[in-house]
Amino acid sequence: MADLRTSPALLRARADLDSVLELTRDLVRIPTRGGIDPYDDAVDHLGRWMAEKGLKPTVLRDDTGSAVALTASVRGERPGSTWVLDACLDTAPFGDEAAWTHPPTGGDVHEGWLWGRGAADSKSAVAVFCHLAARLRHEAAHLRGDLVLLFDLDEHTGGFGGAERYFEGPDAPTDIGGVMIGYPGMDKLVVGGRGVYRVRLRVHGRSSHSGGRRSTPNAIGKAAAIVRAMEEKPLPGPADGFGPGKLTVTAIEGGTGFSAVPDLCAVNVDVRTTARFTGKEAADLVATVVAEVDAAWPGTPPTLVEERTRWPAYALPERSPLRSALLGAAAEQGIDVAAEIAGPSNIGNHLAGLGIPATAGFGAVYEGLHATDERVLVETIPIAQAVYDRAVRTLMG
Protein backbone atom coordinates (compact mmCIF):
# COMPACT_ATOMS: atom_id res chain seq x y z
CA MET A 1 0.00 0.00 0.00
CA ALA A 2 1.24 3.51 -0.80
CA ASP A 3 2.57 5.74 1.97
CA LEU A 4 -0.24 8.28 2.30
CA ARG A 5 2.21 11.04 3.18
CA THR A 6 4.25 10.59 -0.01
CA SER A 7 1.75 9.30 -2.56
CA PRO A 8 2.39 11.45 -5.66
CA ALA A 9 -1.36 11.73 -6.34
CA LEU A 10 -2.06 12.89 -2.78
CA LEU A 11 0.81 15.37 -2.82
CA ARG A 12 -0.56 16.85 -6.05
CA ALA A 13 -4.05 17.05 -4.55
CA ARG A 14 -2.85 18.72 -1.37
CA ALA A 15 -0.96 21.27 -3.44
CA ASP A 16 -4.25 22.05 -5.22
CA LEU A 17 -6.42 22.23 -2.08
CA ASP A 18 -6.42 26.01 -1.56
CA SER A 19 -7.37 26.55 -5.18
CA VAL A 20 -9.99 23.78 -5.08
CA LEU A 21 -11.55 25.36 -2.00
CA GLU A 22 -11.55 28.80 -3.59
CA LEU A 23 -13.30 27.56 -6.72
CA THR A 24 -15.81 25.49 -4.73
CA ARG A 25 -16.66 28.44 -2.49
CA ASP A 26 -17.09 30.69 -5.52
CA LEU A 27 -19.53 28.21 -7.05
CA VAL A 28 -21.46 27.71 -3.79
CA ARG A 29 -21.94 31.48 -3.57
CA ILE A 30 -23.69 31.43 -6.97
CA PRO A 31 -27.11 29.79 -6.45
CA THR A 32 -27.92 27.14 -9.07
CA ARG A 33 -31.03 25.44 -7.69
CA GLY A 34 -32.37 23.10 -10.35
CA GLY A 35 -35.30 24.63 -12.20
CA ILE A 36 -35.24 27.76 -9.99
CA ASP A 37 -32.11 29.83 -10.56
CA PRO A 38 -30.56 31.00 -13.83
CA TYR A 39 -27.24 29.30 -14.50
CA ASP A 40 -25.49 32.00 -16.52
CA ASP A 41 -23.35 33.39 -13.70
CA ALA A 42 -22.10 29.96 -12.64
CA VAL A 43 -21.39 28.92 -16.24
CA ASP A 44 -19.56 32.18 -16.91
CA HIS A 45 -17.47 31.98 -13.74
CA LEU A 46 -16.49 28.34 -14.21
CA GLY A 47 -15.94 28.84 -17.91
CA ARG A 48 -13.49 31.69 -17.24
CA TRP A 49 -11.60 29.57 -14.71
CA MET A 50 -11.34 26.68 -17.17
CA ALA A 51 -10.26 28.94 -20.01
CA GLU A 52 -7.52 30.46 -17.86
CA LYS A 53 -6.20 26.94 -17.31
CA GLY A 54 -6.28 26.16 -21.02
CA LEU A 55 -9.24 23.77 -20.84
CA LYS A 56 -11.36 25.40 -23.62
CA PRO A 57 -14.88 25.01 -22.18
CA THR A 58 -17.93 24.43 -24.35
CA VAL A 59 -21.53 25.13 -23.30
CA LEU A 60 -24.01 22.49 -24.45
CA ARG A 61 -27.56 23.67 -25.15
CA ASP A 62 -30.89 21.97 -25.64
CA ASP A 63 -33.32 22.52 -28.51
CA THR A 64 -34.59 25.73 -26.89
CA GLY A 65 -31.10 27.21 -26.63
CA SER A 66 -30.93 26.82 -22.83
CA ALA A 67 -27.59 25.80 -21.34
CA VAL A 68 -27.72 22.23 -20.04
CA ALA A 69 -24.04 21.41 -19.49
CA LEU A 70 -20.49 22.70 -19.54
CA THR A 71 -17.78 20.47 -21.00
CA ALA A 72 -14.07 20.46 -21.74
CA SER A 73 -11.61 17.86 -23.02
CA VAL A 74 -8.02 16.84 -22.47
CA ARG A 75 -6.89 15.02 -25.60
CA GLY A 76 -4.17 12.44 -25.20
CA GLU A 77 -1.67 12.07 -28.01
CA ARG A 78 -1.90 8.27 -28.01
CA PRO A 79 -4.97 6.32 -29.20
CA GLY A 80 -7.46 5.13 -26.59
CA SER A 81 -10.97 5.43 -25.22
CA THR A 82 -12.81 8.49 -23.97
CA TRP A 83 -13.24 8.65 -20.19
CA VAL A 84 -15.75 11.06 -18.65
CA LEU A 85 -15.65 12.78 -15.25
CA ASP A 86 -19.24 13.81 -14.57
CA ALA A 87 -20.62 16.06 -11.81
CA CYS A 88 -23.73 18.19 -11.50
CA LEU A 89 -23.44 21.96 -11.34
CA ASP A 90 -27.07 22.50 -10.35
CA THR A 91 -28.25 21.81 -6.79
CA ALA A 92 -31.23 20.93 -4.62
CA PRO A 93 -33.39 23.79 -3.22
CA PHE A 94 -32.42 25.53 0.02
CA GLY A 95 -35.46 24.64 2.13
CA ASP A 96 -35.86 26.86 5.21
CA GLU A 97 -32.89 29.24 4.95
CA ALA A 98 -33.42 30.40 8.54
CA ALA A 99 -32.70 26.87 9.76
CA TRP A 100 -29.17 26.83 8.30
CA THR A 101 -26.22 27.26 10.67
CA HIS A 102 -24.37 29.06 7.87
CA PRO A 103 -26.13 30.64 4.86
CA PRO A 104 -26.70 28.19 1.99
CA THR A 105 -24.82 30.50 -0.37
CA GLY A 106 -22.21 31.64 2.14
CA GLY A 107 -19.45 29.22 1.19
CA ASP A 108 -18.24 29.39 4.80
CA VAL A 109 -15.39 27.22 6.10
CA HIS A 110 -15.89 26.47 9.79
CA GLU A 111 -14.52 23.77 12.09
CA GLY A 112 -13.02 21.89 9.16
CA TRP A 113 -16.18 21.84 7.04
CA LEU A 114 -17.11 23.78 3.91
CA TRP A 115 -20.80 24.72 4.25
CA GLY A 116 -23.41 25.57 1.65
CA ARG A 117 -25.81 24.17 -0.87
CA GLY A 118 -23.85 22.25 -3.46
CA ALA A 119 -20.70 22.03 -1.33
CA ALA A 120 -21.10 18.25 -1.35
CA ASP A 121 -23.47 17.66 -4.26
CA SER A 122 -21.52 18.33 -6.33
CA LYS A 123 -19.58 21.58 -6.64
CA SER A 124 -16.57 20.25 -4.74
CA ALA A 125 -16.41 17.42 -7.29
CA VAL A 126 -16.62 19.98 -10.11
CA ALA A 127 -13.64 21.82 -8.63
CA VAL A 128 -11.66 18.61 -8.07
CA PHE A 129 -12.26 17.39 -11.62
CA CYS A 130 -11.28 20.78 -13.05
CA HIS A 131 -7.97 20.78 -11.20
CA LEU A 132 -7.23 17.20 -12.20
CA ALA A 133 -7.87 18.01 -15.87
CA ALA A 134 -5.77 21.16 -15.63
CA ARG A 135 -2.81 19.06 -14.47
CA LEU A 136 -3.31 16.31 -17.04
CA ARG A 137 -3.45 18.84 -19.86
CA HIS A 138 0.31 19.21 -19.52
CA GLU A 139 0.83 15.45 -19.82
CA ALA A 140 -1.06 14.84 -23.07
CA ALA A 141 1.95 13.17 -24.70
CA HIS A 142 1.74 10.32 -22.18
CA LEU A 143 -2.05 9.84 -22.23
CA ARG A 144 -4.07 7.29 -24.18
CA GLY A 145 -7.46 8.55 -25.32
CA ASP A 146 -9.37 11.58 -24.09
CA LEU A 147 -10.56 12.84 -20.71
CA VAL A 148 -13.84 14.76 -20.77
CA LEU A 149 -15.29 16.97 -18.05
CA LEU A 150 -19.11 16.99 -18.10
CA PHE A 151 -20.93 19.28 -15.67
CA ASP A 152 -24.69 18.78 -15.92
CA LEU A 153 -27.04 21.72 -15.29
CA ASP A 154 -30.19 19.60 -15.38
CA GLU A 155 -29.53 16.86 -12.81
CA HIS A 156 -31.59 17.92 -9.81
CA THR A 157 -34.66 18.46 -11.97
CA GLY A 158 -34.48 14.78 -12.89
CA GLY A 159 -34.15 15.70 -16.55
CA PHE A 160 -30.42 14.96 -16.98
CA GLY A 161 -30.53 17.21 -20.03
CA GLY A 162 -26.79 17.79 -20.02
CA ALA A 163 -25.98 14.10 -19.97
CA GLU A 164 -28.54 13.34 -22.67
CA ARG A 165 -27.23 16.15 -24.86
CA TYR A 166 -23.63 14.93 -24.53
CA PHE A 167 -24.17 11.18 -24.80
CA GLU A 168 -27.02 11.22 -27.33
CA GLY A 169 -26.46 14.45 -29.27
CA PRO A 170 -25.45 14.66 -32.91
CA ASP A 171 -21.77 14.95 -31.99
CA ALA A 172 -21.77 12.28 -29.27
CA PRO A 173 -18.52 10.29 -29.03
CA THR A 174 -18.65 6.63 -30.00
CA ASP A 175 -15.62 5.40 -28.06
CA ILE A 176 -16.59 6.05 -24.43
CA GLY A 177 -14.78 3.67 -22.10
CA GLY A 178 -16.73 4.73 -19.03
CA VAL A 179 -18.12 7.51 -16.86
CA MET A 180 -17.15 8.37 -13.27
CA ILE A 181 -19.91 10.34 -11.52
CA GLY A 182 -18.54 12.39 -8.65
CA TYR A 183 -21.28 12.09 -6.05
CA PRO A 184 -19.94 12.56 -2.49
CA GLY A 185 -19.23 9.92 0.15
CA MET A 186 -16.18 7.77 0.79
CA ASP A 187 -17.83 4.64 2.20
CA LYS A 188 -19.01 3.10 -1.06
CA LEU A 189 -18.65 3.09 -4.80
CA VAL A 190 -21.87 2.54 -6.68
CA VAL A 191 -21.19 0.02 -9.46
CA GLY A 192 -24.80 -0.72 -10.35
CA GLY A 193 -28.37 0.12 -9.54
CA ARG A 194 -31.90 -1.15 -9.63
CA GLY A 195 -33.66 0.00 -12.77
CA VAL A 196 -36.74 2.15 -12.92
CA TYR A 197 -39.99 1.97 -14.89
CA ARG A 198 -42.29 4.97 -14.44
CA VAL A 199 -45.73 5.49 -15.90
CA ARG A 200 -48.58 7.92 -15.55
CA LEU A 201 -52.00 6.31 -15.79
CA ARG A 202 -54.92 8.34 -17.12
CA VAL A 203 -57.92 6.55 -15.63
CA HIS A 204 -61.35 7.37 -17.09
CA GLY A 205 -64.84 7.31 -15.61
CA ARG A 206 -68.10 9.09 -16.49
CA SER A 207 -68.87 12.60 -15.29
CA SER A 208 -72.17 13.49 -13.67
CA HIS A 209 -73.65 15.49 -10.79
CA SER A 210 -72.74 13.95 -7.46
CA GLY A 211 -76.29 14.55 -6.26
CA GLY A 212 -77.94 12.77 -9.18
CA ARG A 213 -80.23 9.78 -8.61
CA ARG A 214 -78.27 7.56 -10.98
CA SER A 215 -74.66 6.63 -10.23
CA THR A 216 -71.97 6.84 -12.87
CA PRO A 217 -68.49 5.24 -12.82
CA ASN A 218 -66.19 7.42 -10.72
CA ALA A 219 -62.68 7.77 -12.16
CA ILE A 220 -61.20 8.03 -8.67
CA GLY A 221 -62.90 4.82 -7.60
CA LYS A 222 -61.60 3.07 -10.70
CA ALA A 223 -58.12 4.42 -10.04
CA ALA A 224 -58.33 3.11 -6.47
CA ALA A 225 -59.19 -0.33 -7.84
CA ILE A 226 -56.11 -0.22 -10.07
CA VAL A 227 -53.90 0.82 -7.15
CA ARG A 228 -55.21 -1.99 -4.93
CA ALA A 229 -54.74 -4.57 -7.69
CA MET A 230 -51.18 -3.46 -8.40
CA GLU A 231 -50.20 -3.53 -4.75
CA GLU A 232 -51.58 -7.07 -4.41
CA LYS A 233 -49.48 -8.42 -7.29
CA PRO A 234 -46.48 -10.43 -6.04
CA LEU A 235 -43.06 -9.32 -7.26
CA PRO A 236 -39.98 -11.53 -7.70
CA GLY A 237 -37.66 -11.85 -4.71
CA PRO A 238 -34.19 -10.31 -4.43
CA ALA A 239 -31.72 -10.79 -7.27
CA ASP A 240 -28.01 -11.08 -6.56
CA GLY A 241 -26.94 -7.74 -5.10
CA PHE A 242 -30.03 -5.90 -6.27
CA GLY A 243 -32.54 -6.45 -3.48
CA PRO A 244 -36.21 -6.96 -4.37
CA GLY A 245 -38.26 -5.24 -7.02
CA LYS A 246 -40.63 -2.59 -5.72
CA LEU A 247 -43.83 -0.90 -6.91
CA THR A 248 -44.94 2.42 -5.42
CA VAL A 249 -47.87 4.68 -6.26
CA THR A 250 -46.40 8.15 -5.81
CA ALA A 251 -49.21 10.54 -6.85
CA ILE A 252 -52.96 10.61 -7.47
CA GLU A 253 -54.72 13.61 -9.00
CA GLY A 254 -58.41 13.85 -9.80
CA GLY A 255 -61.68 15.60 -9.20
CA THR A 256 -62.70 19.18 -8.43
CA GLY A 257 -65.02 20.54 -5.78
CA PHE A 258 -67.85 18.48 -4.28
CA SER A 259 -70.69 18.38 -6.78
CA ALA A 260 -69.09 16.64 -9.77
CA VAL A 261 -68.32 12.96 -10.24
CA PRO A 262 -64.83 13.00 -11.79
CA ASP A 263 -64.34 11.47 -15.22
CA LEU A 264 -60.52 11.51 -15.09
CA CYS A 265 -57.94 10.57 -12.48
CA ALA A 266 -54.17 10.51 -13.01
CA VAL A 267 -51.95 8.06 -11.13
CA ASN A 268 -48.13 8.04 -11.02
CA VAL A 269 -46.53 4.61 -10.62
CA ASP A 270 -42.82 4.08 -9.86
CA VAL A 271 -41.47 0.54 -10.28
CA ARG A 272 -37.90 -0.43 -9.31
CA THR A 273 -36.59 -3.28 -11.43
CA THR A 274 -33.79 -5.82 -11.04
CA ALA A 275 -31.95 -8.46 -13.01
CA ARG A 276 -34.85 -10.86 -12.29
CA PHE A 277 -37.65 -8.32 -12.67
CA THR A 278 -36.94 -6.36 -15.82
CA GLY A 279 -38.53 -3.26 -17.30
CA LYS A 280 -40.49 -5.42 -19.74
CA GLU A 281 -41.87 -7.50 -16.89
CA ALA A 282 -42.80 -4.34 -14.99
CA ALA A 283 -44.58 -3.00 -18.06
CA ASP A 284 -46.41 -6.31 -18.50
CA LEU A 285 -47.51 -6.24 -14.85
CA VAL A 286 -48.94 -2.73 -15.14
CA ALA A 287 -50.63 -3.51 -18.47
CA THR A 288 -52.19 -6.70 -17.07
CA VAL A 289 -53.63 -4.93 -14.03
CA VAL A 290 -54.98 -2.08 -16.13
CA ALA A 291 -56.64 -4.48 -18.57
CA GLU A 292 -58.23 -6.49 -15.76
CA VAL A 293 -59.68 -3.41 -14.05
CA ASP A 294 -60.84 -1.89 -17.34
CA ALA A 295 -62.73 -5.11 -18.05
CA ALA A 296 -64.37 -4.95 -14.62
CA TRP A 297 -65.55 -1.38 -15.24
CA PRO A 298 -67.69 -1.59 -18.40
CA GLY A 299 -68.94 1.62 -19.89
CA THR A 300 -65.73 3.53 -19.17
CA PRO A 301 -63.01 4.43 -21.69
CA PRO A 302 -59.84 2.33 -21.41
CA THR A 303 -57.02 3.53 -19.17
CA LEU A 304 -54.16 5.23 -20.98
CA VAL A 305 -50.66 4.15 -19.87
CA GLU A 306 -48.10 6.90 -20.52
CA GLU A 307 -44.55 5.63 -20.11
CA ARG A 308 -42.29 8.34 -18.69
CA THR A 309 -39.01 6.58 -17.85
CA ARG A 310 -37.50 3.15 -18.45
CA TRP A 311 -33.92 2.64 -17.31
CA PRO A 312 -32.47 -0.87 -16.98
CA ALA A 313 -30.96 -2.36 -13.87
CA TYR A 314 -27.20 -2.75 -14.24
CA ALA A 315 -24.11 -4.00 -12.44
CA LEU A 316 -20.53 -3.63 -13.58
CA PRO A 317 -18.64 -6.94 -13.58
CA GLU A 318 -15.84 -7.31 -11.05
CA ARG A 319 -13.23 -7.18 -13.81
CA SER A 320 -14.58 -3.96 -15.32
CA PRO A 321 -11.61 -1.61 -15.96
CA LEU A 322 -13.59 1.33 -14.59
CA ARG A 323 -14.55 -0.44 -11.37
CA SER A 324 -11.08 -1.92 -10.90
CA ALA A 325 -9.31 1.40 -11.48
CA LEU A 326 -11.32 3.32 -8.89
CA LEU A 327 -11.37 0.60 -6.23
CA GLY A 328 -7.65 -0.01 -6.76
CA ALA A 329 -6.89 3.70 -6.50
CA ALA A 330 -8.89 3.97 -3.28
CA ALA A 331 -7.02 0.99 -1.81
CA GLU A 332 -3.70 2.68 -2.66
CA GLN A 333 -4.81 5.67 -0.61
CA GLY A 334 -5.74 3.42 2.32
CA ILE A 335 -9.49 3.75 1.78
CA ASP A 336 -11.62 0.62 2.14
CA VAL A 337 -14.51 1.21 -0.24
CA ALA A 338 -17.44 -1.16 -0.65
CA ALA A 339 -18.71 -1.80 -4.19
CA GLU A 340 -22.51 -1.59 -3.99
CA ILE A 341 -25.56 -1.84 -6.17
CA ALA A 342 -27.78 1.11 -5.29
CA GLY A 343 -31.47 0.83 -4.45
CA PRO A 344 -32.32 4.22 -6.00
CA SER A 345 -31.67 4.64 -9.70
CA ASN A 346 -29.17 7.17 -11.01
CA ILE A 347 -27.85 8.48 -14.30
CA GLY A 348 -25.71 5.34 -14.43
CA ASN A 349 -28.88 3.39 -15.26
CA HIS A 350 -29.57 5.66 -18.21
CA LEU A 351 -25.99 5.24 -19.39
CA ALA A 352 -26.29 1.47 -19.03
CA GLY A 353 -29.17 1.62 -21.49
CA LEU A 354 -26.72 3.21 -23.94
CA GLY A 355 -24.12 0.54 -23.29
CA ILE A 356 -21.84 2.90 -21.32
CA PRO A 357 -20.28 1.67 -18.02
CA ALA A 358 -20.57 4.08 -15.09
CA THR A 359 -19.66 4.38 -11.43
CA ALA A 360 -21.07 6.84 -8.90
CA GLY A 361 -20.68 7.88 -5.35
CA PHE A 362 -17.00 8.22 -4.46
CA GLY A 363 -16.13 11.68 -3.18
CA ALA A 364 -15.40 13.70 -0.08
CA VAL A 365 -17.10 12.97 3.26
CA TYR A 366 -20.31 14.99 3.64
CA GLU A 367 -23.35 15.80 5.80
CA GLY A 368 -26.76 17.27 4.99
CA LEU A 369 -27.15 16.09 1.41
CA HIS A 370 -30.30 17.73 -0.04
CA ALA A 371 -31.02 18.90 3.50
CA THR A 372 -30.30 21.75 5.90
CA ASP A 373 -26.60 22.48 6.58
CA GLU A 374 -25.12 20.66 3.59
CA ARG A 375 -21.36 20.53 4.06
CA VAL A 376 -18.23 18.67 3.03
CA LEU A 377 -15.24 17.72 5.21
CA VAL A 378 -12.31 19.72 3.84
CA GLU A 379 -9.53 17.29 4.81
CA THR A 380 -11.14 14.54 2.70
CA ILE A 381 -11.24 16.56 -0.54
CA PRO A 382 -7.57 15.87 -1.42
CA ILE A 383 -8.09 12.17 -0.76
CA ALA A 384 -10.99 12.09 -3.24
CA GLN A 385 -8.90 13.99 -5.79
CA ALA A 386 -5.97 11.62 -5.33
CA VAL A 387 -8.18 8.59 -5.97
CA TYR A 388 -9.55 10.02 -9.20
CA ASP A 389 -6.07 11.17 -10.19
CA ARG A 390 -4.70 7.64 -9.80
CA ALA A 391 -7.73 6.00 -11.45
CA VAL A 392 -7.59 8.27 -14.51
CA ARG A 393 -3.86 7.73 -14.94
CA THR A 394 -4.44 3.97 -14.75
CA LEU A 395 -7.15 4.09 -17.39
CA MET A 396 -5.26 6.44 -19.71
CA GLY A 397 -1.71 5.32 -19.02
Side-chain angles (χ1 to χ4, degrees):
M1 184 178 297
D3 185 335
L4 300 189
R5 296 167 298 177
T6 59
S7 158
L10 189 57
L11 292 175
R12 287 189 291 266
R14 284 176 173 164
D16 286 342
L17 180 57
D18 288 345
S19 180
V20 168
L21 279 178
E22 181 181 7
L23 179 56
T24 305
R25 296 176 75 186
D26 287 347
L27 294 174
V28 167
R29 289 166 178 154
I30 304 172
T32 53
R33 293 166 293 177
I36 298 174
D37 297 311
Y39 304 132
D40 294 348
D41 289 348
V43 169
D44 290 346
H45 183 86
L46 185 57
R48 284 194 300 271
W49 190 97
M50 295 167 77
E52 289 171 0
K53 303 297 182 181
L55 291 175
K56 299 181 181 178
T58 298
V59 179
L60 301 184
R61 301 185 182 276
D62 61 16
D63 293 339
T64 70
S66 298
V68 291
L70 188 65
T71 70
S73 298
V74 174
R75 300 195 176 278
E77 295 182 11
R78 302 163 70 188
S81 300
T82 294
W83 303 94
V84 181
L85 295 175
D86 174 58
C88 55
L89 193 52
D90 66 338
T91 73
F94 297 150
D96 181 6
E97 295 186 50
W100 285 67
T101 304
H102 299 276
T105 57
D108 297 319
V109 176
H110 182 66
E111 295 183 346
W113 295 83
L114 169 57
W115 302 65
R117 179 60 82 223
D121 184 18
S122 288
K123 292 179 177 180
S124 56
V126 169
V128 162
F129 290 166
C130 282
H131 282 77
L132 177 55
R135 282 187 174 274
L136 289 172
R137 187 180 72 83
H138 299 288
E139 304 175 31
H142 306 291
L143 300 179
R144 296 182 183 273
D146 298 339
L147 178 68
V148 172
L149 304 180
L150 175 63
F151 303 138
D152 201 330
L153 291 162
D154 193 32
E155 198 264 9
H156 283 84
T157 63
F160 298 102
E164 289 191 0
R165 169 63 181 80
Y166 178 76
F167 293 108
E168 302 178 69
D171 50 354
T174 58
D175 60 347
I176 297 175
V179 179
M180 290 164 274
I181 304 167
Y183 293 143
M186 224 163 254
D187 57 331
K188 64 183 178 182
L189 178 70
V190 174
V191 296
R194 288 193 299 183
V196 63
Y197 173 71
R198 288 177 177 154
V199 294
R200 186 169 176 86
L201 307 179
R202 296 178 64 82
V203 185
H204 298 278
R206 296 289 183 187
S207 61
S208 66
H209 197 292
S210 60
R213 292 182 180 275
R214 300 181 67 178
S215 297
T216 57
N218 187 320
I220 293 177
K222 184 180 177 183
I226 290 176
V227 171
R228 284 193 299 271
M230 283 193 298
E231 291 183 339
E232 291 171 358
K233 287 285 186 182
L235 301 181
D240 290 344
F242 283 95
K246 185 179 182 184
L247 185 150
T248 308
V249 174
T250 57
I252 298 178
E253 301 171 8
T256 57
F258 290 93
S259 61
V261 175
D263 61 354
L264 179 64
C265 182
V267 180
N268 288 2
V269 182
D270 177 282
V271 187
R272 299 300 164 136
T273 61
T274 70
R276 292 181 55 194
F277 178 50
T278 66
K280 181 182 183 305
E281 291 167 319
D284 290 345
L285 182 150
V286 171
T288 297
V289 168
V290 164
E292 290 172 350
V293 174
D294 279 348
W297 285 66
T300 61
T303 299
L304 177 63
V305 180
E306 300 176 343
E307 181 174 315
R308 298 297 178 89
T309 305
R310 189 189 298 209
W311 289 351
Y314 82 102
L316 297 184
E318 288 189 10
R319 300 181 70 176
S320 159
L322 191 64
R323 171 176 173 162
S324 298
L326 272 169
L327 291 177
E332 288 183 9
Q333 297 302 321
I335 308 298
D336 184 16
V337 182
E340 292 189 4
I341 295 175
S345 304
N346 60 62
I347 188 60
N349 295 86
H350 177 68
L351 296 174
L354 301 175
I356 299 172
T359 59
F362 185 84
V365 172
Y366 69 93
E367 296 285 347
L369 194 73
H370 286 204
T372 302
D373 284 346
E374 179 180 345
R375 57 198 183 274
V376 65
L377 188 60
V378 171
E379 66 182 18
T380 64
I381 293 175
I383 299 172
Q385 181 172 332
V387 168
Y388 281 105
D389 182 322
R390 188 71 183 90
V392 169
R393 291 172 189 275
T394 297
L395 293 167
M396 301 184 69

